[in-house]
């Protein structure tokens, strides 16, 4: 997941990648509110988790239910160091649902599950601390 974001950054500009993984990095350039609204981040419930041995970095294949408006989507998530499959089933996650699908090896990832890096760069999921419906949008 974090690697997906880093790969999407302009690899020719090391400062962009630096900002993605360094908690001491300065804030990114200002954006307009309309640009923020263009990124559609929704809450969904993990309904299935499978191993992904073909991935270059350890990852789980997730199926996430975003409710009737978006449906069930697939995501490759590099979260194996903090999360076991049995702990993920039924948990809520946040994901960008309006990026184009991305081929990750033999798997088509339809949404980008989001998280923050911990002190060692391992992904910690973004999750609501209260119950919200599947499909609820971040604002």
């Amino acid at each position: 997941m974090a690697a997906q974001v880093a790969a999407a950054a302009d690899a020719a500009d090391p400062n962009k990648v630096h900002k993605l993984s360094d908690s001491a990095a300065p804030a990114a350039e200002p954006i307009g509110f309309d640009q923020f609204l263009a990124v559609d981040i929704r809450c969904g419930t993990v309904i299935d988790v499978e191993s992904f041995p073909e991935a270059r970095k350890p990852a789980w294949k997730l199926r996430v239910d975003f409710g009737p408006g978006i449906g069930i989507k697939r995501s490759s998530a590099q979260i194996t160091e903090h999360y076991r499959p049995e702990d993920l089933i039924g948990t809520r996650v946040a994901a960008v649902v309006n990026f184009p699908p991305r081929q990750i090896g033999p798997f088509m990832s339809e949404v980008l599950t989001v998280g923050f890096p911990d002190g060692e760069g391992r992904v910690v999921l973004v999750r609501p601390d209260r119950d919200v419906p599947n499909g609820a949008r971040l604002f």
Side-chain angles (χ1 to χ4, degrees):
M1 162 182 46
Q4 269 184 301
V5 174
D10 183 1
D13 184 352
N15 292 324
K16 288 185 179 180
V17 175
H18 168 76
K19 288 180 183 179
L20 293 174
S21 60
D22 183 356
S23 61
E29 297 297 319
I31 62 171
F33 192 69
D34 288 343
Q35 288 173 292
F36 168 73
L37 291 178
V39 180
D40 192 354
I41 300 174
R42 304 286 184 110
C43 183
T45 301
V46 176
I47 60 171
D48 190 39
V49 181
E50 296 179 18
S51 63
F52 192 4
E54 306 90 352
R56 279 187 261 164
K57 294 185 178 180
W60 298 124
K61 293 191 275 189
L62 308 178
R63 287 183 57 232
V64 183
D65 183 359
F66 292 98
I70 296 170
I72 297 170
K73 299 291 182 182
R74 297 173 296 164
S75 181
S76 170
Q78 295 173 358
I79 57 174
T80 59
E81 292 180 330
H82 282 309
Y83 305 97
R84 299 177 306 172
E86 59 269 24
D87 298 330
L88 288 167
I89 301 291
T91 195
R92 300 289 171 98
V93 296
V96 177
V97 299
N98 66 332
F99 281 159
R102 182 177 175 116
Q103 190 75 42
I104 312 279
F107 183 73
M108 183 63 72
S109 189
E110 300 172 299
V111 298
L112 176 65
T113 305
V114 296
F116 293 104
D118 68 10
E120 284 88 46
R122 301 170 301 189
V123 179
V124 176
L125 290 171
V126 172
R127 302 191 278 190
D129 65 356
R130 300 278 190 277
D131 192 31
V132 297
N134 287 340
R137 185 170 181 171
L138 179 79
F139 60 85

